[in-house]
Amino acid sequence: MSVLFGLLWPLERFNAAILAVGRVIAVIALAIMVCLILGQVFFRYVLNDAPNWTEEAARFGMLWMTGLMAPLAYRMGGFVAIDMLERALSRTLAGILSLILMAITMWVLLIAWERGLNNHLDTLSGRGCSSTLRWPFGIEVGKCGEKFQNRFQYASLWVGVNLLILVNIELIIRQIITLAGQGDRLAPLRADEEIAGSS
């Protein structure tokens, strides 16, 4: 059991710190996304001349917001769940069911990581160039020159799935410890910045 606690302690701290930073970036991305969309509506319906890059820039912000907030929501139990069966079972059976569901989640995440992200999206080499997003001041970067490479958008999915895998490992370890009767020794999961601030 001490091995599990030894694995859990640094993983909890790492996840809390990374997710705290991710939360700040995601909030900034959301604010920028809202401003871009409101600006696009104003330009389109008031001035009848909308910039062509705001929609893609808002999508860029939405992808990063999702990739950074999904792991935090999963860690804090913020995903929608149907828990009728879990509530009807005894505590031990509910814990076993929860562990099985987390194992299935890990399987799906690993498939997404291996097949979807590494083979299809080709995040590291980057496929294609943005149709409208350009670097400011005419800066040329990589094979797309002034245009953004799509890999900067797809990297949000790669980051999000990797963080979800780390959070899932943490939750599996916590569940195993709880099933072993040592759950009272676990610190409750709190808001990410509280844990990061106490380490």
Side-chain angles (χ1 to χ4, degrees), residues 88-130:
L89 297 173
S90 68
R91 178 176 281 172
T92 303
L93 288 177
I96 292 169
L97 175 63
S98 180
L99 189 60
I100 290 169
L101 292 175
M102 283 188 263
I104 292 170
T105 301
M106 179 62 81
W107 177 59
V108 169
L109 287 170
L110 290 174
I111 289 171
W113 188 86
E114 194 273 325
R115 291 189 183 163
L117 296 173
N118 288 336
N119 293 337
H120 180 64
L121 296 179
D122 201 10
T123 304
L124 299 177
S125 65
R127 248 185 225 168
C129 303
S130 168

Side-chain angles (χ1 to χ4, degrees), residues 41-159:
V41 168
F42 173 78
F43 277 96
R44 175 166 290 154
Y45 294 108
V46 175
L47 302 179
N48 201 24
D49 184 27
N52 61 354
W53 57 270
T54 53
E55 182 182 346
E56 193 170 0
R59 190 176 336 124
F60 186 93
M62 182 182 65
L63 286 169
W64 275 100
M65 179 193 66
T66 303
L68 294 171
M69 287 304 289
L72 178 61
Y74 181 46
R75 187 174 192 249
M76 303 307 296
F79 283 175
V80 174
I82 300 172
D83 60 355
M84 291 184 319
L85 178 60
E86 187 178 341
R87 285 189 285 148
L89 297 173
S90 68
R91 178 176 281 172
T92 303
L93 288 177
I96 292 169
L97 175 63
S98 180
L99 189 60
I100 290 169
L101 292 175
M102 283 188 263
I104 292 170
T105 301
M106 179 62 81
W107 177 59
V108 169
L109 287 170
L110 290 174
I111 289 171
W113 188 86
E114 194 273 325
R115 291 189 183 163
L117 296 173
N118 288 336
N119 293 337
H120 180 64
L121 296 179
D122 201 10
T123 304
L124 299 177
S125 65
R127 248 185 225 168
C129 303
S130 168
S131 59
T132 58
L133 288 180
R134 298 179 185 279
W135 291 99
F137 311 115
I139 296 171
E140 293 191 15
V141 178
K143 67 178 183 178
C144 292
E146 291 182 0
K147 293 183 177 182
F148 268 61
Q149 291 182 4
N150 285 336
R151 71 176 171 176
F152 296 120
Q153 293 183 43
Y154 294 141
S156 63
L157 302 173
W158 186 82
V159 168

Side-chain angles (χ1 to χ4, degrees), residues 1-10 173 177 182 185:
M1 199 53 54
S2 60
V3 172
L4 289 177
F5 277 103
L7 291 171
L8 183 62
W9 188 84
I173 293 171
I177 290 171
Q182 301 291 316
R185 294 177 56 194

